[in-house]
């Protein structure tokens, strides 16, 4: 039989099989999952994970995953310096910082320091060189009429995606486009998440919204036909926004995508009959004046951005934070932006695939909005003599690490109205402090977050004014400063506090009943191992724990009604100002007081804190404001409002050909700074992805080995006599 | 037969209504329209007005089943149930909670699902039948007993193991194919090899064991002995006598699946990044997108009913003695 394998016909069959297996696999690595990039264009390959964006309309979107795309396509009035820290606000879509005029109730212009400020008027001038991307919405015929304006759905049927429109046009960004965008926020038909919040500040927004509610919606509604009191177009490039009172943080809001310009003709274009049925909407095809434009939006697989040929002149910054030059972050100083031509974001739901493709060089970074290193941290990092460091495989690949402490805080808060744990007496404070000490945040982070987090000493995370490092920055009720580092107070101290609070050995001194605390947790966000860990942590001071798991909607209900004792929550900053964190403890923000989805879920109410907050929120940055912030933090610590908190840290990995990897915690419009060494990428991909062919031969041999006994037995059976 | 088909299609209507009602009720027991609005609007600054605006925009501001403020038939038609579920019978799937047209999405996504499911299905059936017939040929021998042991072992292994193991070995370690992904620009087949291979291998244990049982029953029939006595070859006995006679139970289990191939596979599509209907459903469940879930359940029900009907019809083809009446 073996001799038959060597027969010419068998050999030929084997060769043909091998050839068939190898056919089509000669163009580069076999495992390349990416389609060919257009020649001559440097393409950045990245991921969107774990779900595609839901909204790409700047009026509707309020998620960082979506902001990643919006901020490359749109230019809101303000932006941030890429490198400088603390975060520095800069004009982006406008020429200069807003010119703010203060007005009293009588309509007179008053001094900026005056106390009777009734309104603040922000005057902004649009950049002269800001121009929209080429788009069919701007295409006009010889008479200047819109090229694509259809009477009914049958006319528009041939157009299924933006690339189907042959005629394109463009125009400079106008002041009215910014005004139009704000009106879209106010239009109740859009259901913008910003409407409720911004209506508190922008004059006339509420009335405008109420008026628009009654307007029939059988087609495009030109919002230019409906004036709003707080908005004024002064000339082609200048506009004014009037807000109630004094609100210095408004400049930060102007750096968010909500305030990006929207051309009315773009809005009209997407209201063409039949467009909605083919997903041709502004929510899926953003149109802006930023460095990139969207050329493909397939939420099932990929989103592709390309350099906007009409993007204004913009250059890489020539200054950075201390240490940036040494890290090579100023190598591209003065170069015209963007530094890449194209960016492809592929949908990647499973971390194993993402991780493998990153290691194979098919993704340039491990993630965009999330580093994705937490779930595969064990593979990426090892504990070496100098602590946690990159594993050998990654280090050999030349992969670099970009840590990112997010301007965010995750915390477990006490319900300050709870009859057992809440309240402002010294006993209750001591009880809460005892629980704070027993919850060893550092150990918790090491075990369950692999050290990717920093135990919070206050509600204000690093990088935000008001965050204090060193001994002066520790919470003295929970930590001591020992050998140049904060050290959690002892369990004995916690037990002592518990005794003073009326619970010696964890039992109520009056009734003898053990103290049992109830923690509301979100089912998806907690594991049984972490619950076991908490049982043990509180068990050390004799306190029992009961968990009340629920999904987010049920948890939210409990928070709104105050039906909770200890709850988990988190906050990601909208802008880099302590006000954006300290308002989490501002009394009127309690859901039980405002009867709304307020941010003060602990229902912390202390008149002194609230007074300080009201003063602080309208003060400009400076020593006076810093002192108020410090006092508010002291009050938070004194009252022990949260059980524990931590500032989440994410780690991003970059392949060696990716440059300018500094993370910006607030702004997402950083794609224009990314530089790719395309030649190095091609070489490394080729080197790292040579296929291992022997398993193909081994499998063929195995198949033959499995079939052969069968064939032999079958042939024997055919030749067998009836007796056999 | 025509009358039979019409009758079966009429029977399908109350089934579909029941499925629809059940899905609707279950979903709204878990999630109120307010919950859905809050989920869609995000975690920050969600005001009651924003929730009302969202509900109004998406048609969730009406009563669930009965509108006492309306008059006449509108009491039933001016409700969320009528708007969101009854319209499905006109194949008007509407829009997802994020505003996308569901019909367009389904039409786009069913092809990648089919691209994976169809070869997996066909190759799987072919391999399973061949393996089962081979084992039947050696019935009662050590080879037969060993094969059954292997089948049971293969059945006992989690589907996830096949997926992750396949990805690890074939794509990560040996670098023979992409670990996941799907795009139509260029070589689509290279994205299909691994999911199809995994799907086929993972199905061999259960499939081949089941077919073996069916074939064994036939192998002991008198007509097989007669065929053998006539001097027919073993291959001829297996493929020309046993296989056709075992077709009825095979068709019962197989034909019903054919229409559902469009629906794809939740696990395979999710792990291999195939943008099909399986992952569409999974994403919708994760993001609590009721509009997509109810549409997919409705489509799934229809396809299942069609599958059952096709099964009945296929009996007449496999066995001319069967008459549908």
């Amino acid at each position: 039989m073996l001799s038959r394998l060597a027969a010419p016909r068998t050999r030929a069959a084997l060769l043909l099989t091998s050839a068939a297996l190898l056919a089509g696999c000669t163009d580069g690595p076999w495992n390349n999952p990416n389609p060919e990039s257009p020649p001559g264009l440097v393409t950045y390959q990245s991921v969107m994970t774990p779900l595609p964006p839901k909204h790409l309309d700047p009026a509707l979107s309020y998620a960082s995953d979506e902001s990643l795309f919006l901020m490359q396509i749109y230019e809101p009035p303000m932006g941030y310096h890429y490198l400088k820290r603390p975060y520095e606000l800069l004009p982006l879509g406008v020429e200069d910082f807003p010119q703010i005029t203060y007005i009293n109730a009588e309509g007179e212009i008053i001094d900026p320091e005056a106390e009777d400020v009734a309104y603040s008027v922000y005057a902004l001038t649009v950049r002269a060189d800001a121009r929209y991307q080429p788009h069919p919405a701007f295409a006009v015929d010889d008479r200047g009429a819109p090229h694509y304006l259809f009477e009914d759905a049958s006319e528009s049927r041939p157009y299924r995606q933006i690339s189907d429109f042959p005629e394109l046009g463009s125009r400079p960004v106008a002041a009215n486009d910014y005004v139009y965008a704000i009106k879209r926020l106010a239009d109740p038909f859009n259901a913008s998440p910003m409407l409720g919040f911004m209506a508190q500040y922008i004059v006339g927004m509420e009335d405008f919204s109420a008026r628009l509610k009654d307007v029939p919606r059988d087609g495009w509604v030109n919002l230019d036909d409906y004036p709003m009191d707080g908005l004024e177009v002064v000339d082609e490039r200048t506009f004014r926004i009037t807000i109630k009172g004094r609100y210095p943080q408004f400049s930060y809001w102007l750096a968010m995508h909500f305030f990006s310009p929207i051309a009315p003709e773009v809005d009209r274009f997407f209201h063409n009959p039949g467009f909605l049925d083919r997903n041709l909407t502004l929510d899926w095809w953003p149109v802006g004046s930023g460095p990139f434009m969207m050329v493909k939006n397939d939420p099932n697989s990929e989103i592709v951005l390309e350099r906007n040929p009409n993007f204004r002149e913009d250059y890489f910054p020539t200054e950075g934070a201390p240490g940036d030059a040494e890290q090579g972050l100023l190598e591209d100083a003065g170069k015209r932006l963007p530094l890449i031509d194209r960016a492809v974001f592929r949908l990647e739901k499973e971390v194993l695939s993402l991780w493998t493709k990153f290691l194979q060089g098919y993704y340039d970074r491990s993630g965009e909005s999330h580093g994705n290193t937490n779930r595969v941290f064990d593979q990426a990092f090892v504990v070496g003599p100098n602590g946690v460091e990159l594993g050998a495989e990654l280090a050999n690949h030349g992969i670099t690490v970009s840590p990112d402490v997010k301007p965010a805080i995750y915390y477990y808060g006490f319900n300050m109205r709870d009859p057992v744990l809440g309240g402002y007496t010294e006993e209750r404070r001591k009880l809460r402090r005892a629980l704070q000490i027993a919850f060893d945040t550092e150990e918790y982070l090491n075990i369950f977050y692999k050290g990717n987090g920093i135990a919070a000493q206050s509600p204000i995370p690093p990088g935000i004014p008001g965050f204090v490092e060193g001994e002066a920055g520790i919470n003295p009720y929970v930590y001591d400063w020992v050998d140049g580092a904060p050290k959690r107070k002892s369990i004995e101290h916690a037990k002592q506090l518990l005794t003073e609070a009326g619970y010696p050995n964890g039992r109520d001194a009056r009734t003898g009943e053990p103290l049992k605390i109830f923690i509301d947790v979100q089912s998806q966000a907690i594991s049984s191992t972490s619950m076991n860990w908490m049982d043990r942590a509180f068990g050390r001071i004799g306190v029992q724990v009961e968990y009340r798991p629920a999904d987010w909607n049920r948890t939210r209900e409990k928070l709104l009604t105050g039906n909770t004792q200890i709850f988990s929550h988190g906050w990601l900053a909208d802008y880099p100002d302590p006000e954006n964190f300290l308002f989490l403890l501002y009394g009127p923000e309690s859901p039980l007081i405002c009867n709304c989805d307020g941010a003060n879920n602990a229902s912390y109410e202390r008149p002194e804190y609230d007074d300080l907050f009201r003063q602080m929120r309208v003060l400009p940055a400076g020593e006076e404001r810093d002192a108020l912030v410090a006092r508010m933090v002291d009050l938070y610590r004194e009252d022990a409002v949260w059980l524990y908190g931590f500032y989440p840290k994410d780690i991003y990995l970059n392949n060696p050909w990716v440059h300018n990897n500094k993370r910006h915690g607030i702004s997402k419009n950083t794609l224009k700074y990314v530089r790719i060494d395309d030649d190095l990428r091609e070489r490394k991909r080729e080197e790292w992805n040579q296929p291992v062919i022997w398993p193909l031969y081994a499998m063929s041999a195995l198949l033959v080995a499995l079939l052969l006994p069968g064939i032999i037995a079958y042939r024997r059976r055919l030749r067998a006599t009836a007796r056999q | 037969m025509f009358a039979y088909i019409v009758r079966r299609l009429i029977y399908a209507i109350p089934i579909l209504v029941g499925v629809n009602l059940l899905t609707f009720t279950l979903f709204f027991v878990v999630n109120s329209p307010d919950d859905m609005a809050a989920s869609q609007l995000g975690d920050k600054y969600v005001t009651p007005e924003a929730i009302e605006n969202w509900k109004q925009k998406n048609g969730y501001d009406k009563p669930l089943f009965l509108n006492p403020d309306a008059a006449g038939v509108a009491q039933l038609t001016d409700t969320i149930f009528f708007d969101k579920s009854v319209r499905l019978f006109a194949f008007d799937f509407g829009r997802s909670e994020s505003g996308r047209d569901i019909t367009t999405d389904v039409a786009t996504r069913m092809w990648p699902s089919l691209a994976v499911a169809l070869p997996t299905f066909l190759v799987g059936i072919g391999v399973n039948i061949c393996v089962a017939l081979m084992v039947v040929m050696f019935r009662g021998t050590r080879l037969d007993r060993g094969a059954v042991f292997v089948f049971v072992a293969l059945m006992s292994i989690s589907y996830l193991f096949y997926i992750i193991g396949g990805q690890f070995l074939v794509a990560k370690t040996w670098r023979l194919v992409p670990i996941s992904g799907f795009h139509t620009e260029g070589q689509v087949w290279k994205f299909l090899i691994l999911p199809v291979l995994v799907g086929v291998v993972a199905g061999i244990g259960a499939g081949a064991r089941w077919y073996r049982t069916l074939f064994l029953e036939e192998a002991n029939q008198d007509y097989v002995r007669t065929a053998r006595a006539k001097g027919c070859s073993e291959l001829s006995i297996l493929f020309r006598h046993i296989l056709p006679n075992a077709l009825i139970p095979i068709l019962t289990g197989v034909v019903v699946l054919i229409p559902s191939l469009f629906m794809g596979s939740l696990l395979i599509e999710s792990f291999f990044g195939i943008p099909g209907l399986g992952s569409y459903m999974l994403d919708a469940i994760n993001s609590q997108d009721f509009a997509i879930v109810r549409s997919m359940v409705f489509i799934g029900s229809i396809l299942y009913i069609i599958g059952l009907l096709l099964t009945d019809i296929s009996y007449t083809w496999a066995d001319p003695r069967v008459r549908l009446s």
Side-chain angles (χ1 to χ4, degrees), chain A residues 31-103:
Chain A
N31 61 352
N32 187 353
N34 301 332
E36 287 292 314
S37 293
L41 299 184
V42 177
T43 302
Y44 172 68
Q45 311 270 6
S46 193
V47 291
M48 45 181 176
T49 176
L51 291 172
K54 277 187 190 170
H55 297 291
L56 290 171
D57 181 336
L60 303 186
S61 165
Y62 199 3
S64 59
D65 291 355
E66 295 159 359
S67 194
L68 166 70
F69 299 103
L70 290 173
M71 293 304 283
Q72 320 310 330
I73 295 165
Y74 289 103
E75 283 209 319
M78 307 300 290
Y80 291 92
H81 194 285
Y82 170 46
L83 297 173
K84 286 186 179 174
R85 302 290 184 274
Y87 302 108
E88 194 178 299
L89 205 59
L90 290 175
L92 191 69
V94 295
E95 295 278 6
D96 208 343
F97 286 94
Q99 299 297 309
I100 308 172
T101 310
Y102 297 97
I103 294 174

Side-chain angles (χ1 to χ4, degrees), chain A residues 24 32-33 62 189 276-277 279 284 300 348-349 357 360 554 572 574 597 690 692 695 713-714 717, chain B residues 30 35 44-46 57 95 100-101 104 109 137 171 174-175 180 183 187 190 234-235 275 279 283:
Chain A
N32 187 353
Y62 199 3
F189 182 74
L276 199 59
D277 298 334
N279 295 324
W284 289 98
N300 309 331
E348 204 61 74
K349 292 178 190 167
K357 287 180 192 173
Q360 290 172 339
R554 300 289 79 77
L572 177 65
D574 290 307
D597 200 2
Q690 288 304 309
V692 181
Y714 175 68
R717 194 163 178 164
Chain B
V30 178
D35 291 340
K44 291 179 171 181
Y45 312 117
V46 182
K57 183 184 175 187
R95 282 171 217 299
R100 284 184 67 85
D101 184 67
T104 307
R109 280 177 169 264
M137 199 166 68
W174 299 335
R175 302 183 283 273
S180 70
H183 59 75
Q187 303 159 326
K190 70 179 181 182
E234 278 297 311
L235 277 182
S279 54
D283 292 348

Side-chain angles (χ1 to χ4, degrees), chain A residues 623-636:
Chain A
E623 281 182 17
E624 190 186 351
R625 193 170 196 249
D626 291 346
L628 297 184
V629 168
R631 177 63 190 144
M632 291 165 77
V633 170
D634 283 346
L635 292 175
Y636 152 83

Side-chain angles (χ1 to χ4, degrees), chain B residues 10-31:
Chain B
I10 293 170
Y11 288 163
I13 294 171
I15 297 173
L16 288 173
V17 171
V19 168
N20 229 342
L21 196 64
L22 198 65
T23 317
F24 185 85
T25 310
L26 283 176
F27 209 95
F28 276 94
V29 164
V30 178
N31 254 5

Side-chain angles (χ1 to χ4, degrees), chain A residues 639-653:
Chain A
D639 287 329
V641 191
W642 292 345
L643 172 64
Y644 87 102
F646 72 93
Y647 314 125
K649 190 162 79 174
D650 212 347
I651 293 178
Y652 295 79
L653 302 175

Side-chain angles (χ1 to χ4, degrees), chain B residues 3-288:
Chain B
Y4 175 79
I5 293 172
V6 170
R7 199 163 61 243
R8 285 292 299 267
L9 289 176
I10 293 170
Y11 288 163
I13 294 171
I15 297 173
L16 288 173
V17 171
V19 168
N20 229 342
L21 196 64
L22 198 65
T23 317
F24 185 85
T25 310
L26 283 176
F27 209 95
F28 276 94
V29 164
V30 178
N31 254 5
S32 69
D34 282 32
D35 291 340
M36 290 159 67
S39 304
Q40 297 296 324
L41 289 169
D43 301 340
K44 291 179 171 181
Y45 312 117
V46 182
T47 60
E49 293 77 31
I51 287 178
E52 283 310 312
N53 286 339
W54 187 91
K55 280 162 51 184
Q56 195 176 358
K57 183 184 175 187
N58 292 282
Y60 287 106
D61 55 340
K62 298 173 181 173
L64 284 182
F65 293 106
L66 192 70
N67 188 347
D69 298 334
V73 186
Q75 285 199 331
L76 291 173
T77 57
D78 196 20
T79 59
I80 296 179
F81 180 68
F82 187 85
D83 273 356
K84 304 290 178 187
S85 285
V86 178
R87 281 180 194 282
L88 293 176
F89 287 90
F91 293 94
D92 175 6
F93 300 131
R95 282 171 217 299
S96 68
E97 310 305 3
S98 59
R100 284 184 67 85
D101 184 67
I102 294 174
T103 310
T104 307
D105 279 351
V106 169
T108 313
R109 280 177 169 264
M110 69 182 196
W111 300 114
S113 282
L114 204 60
V116 177
L118 193 61
T120 309
F121 177 74
L122 295 178
V123 176
I125 288 179
V127 167
N128 292 345
I129 288 179
C130 289
V131 170
L133 285 173
M134 201 173 97
V135 172
V136 166
M137 199 166 68
F138 298 102
R139 60 188 173 279
T141 65
R142 268 183 288 183
L143 192 70
D144 180 27
R145 287 193 290 277
V148 172
F149 176 79
V150 172
F151 294 156
V152 174
L154 287 173
M155 282 168 67
S156 313
I157 297 171
S158 158
Y159 201 68
L160 275 177
F161 180 85
Y162 289 106
I163 295 175
I164 295 172
Q167 284 186 321
F168 181 79
L169 273 183
V170 181
K172 189 172 193 288
T173 311
W174 299 335
R175 302 183 283 273
L176 295 171
V177 290
I179 189 164
S180 70
F182 186 87
H183 59 75
T184 48
E185 301 160 38
Q187 303 159 326
V188 183
W189 56 267
K190 70 179 181 182
F191 296 103
L192 302 180
I193 291 176
L194 191 53
V196 170
L197 184 71
V198 166
V200 169
V201 172
I204 285 180
R209 186 170 167 269
W210 181 52
Y211 291 134
R212 175 189 166 274
T213 312
L214 301 179
F215 296 148
L216 269 183
E217 201 169 309
E218 294 298 322
N220 294 325
Q221 299 289 330
D222 290 343
Y223 71 86
V224 174
R225 196 177 302 121
T226 309
R228 195 167 283 129
K230 278 166 62 184
C232 292
S233 73
E234 278 297 311
L235 277 182
S236 161
I237 292 168
L238 289 173
F239 285 95
R240 293 184 58 192
H241 295 275
I242 294 181
L243 182 59
N245 281 294
L247 265 184
I248 291 276
I250 292 178
L251 291 174
T252 308
V254 167
V255 178
V256 73
L257 296 176
I258 292 174
S260 311
L261 295 179
F262 287 97
M263 300 293 285
S265 153
L266 298 183
L267 277 179
I268 286 274
E269 288 185 10
S270 204
F271 274 84
F272 288 102
I274 308 289
L277 289 178
S279 54
Y280 190 49
M281 179 79 162
L282 203 62
D283 292 348
I285 293 168
N286 286 337
S287 58
Q288 300 191 350

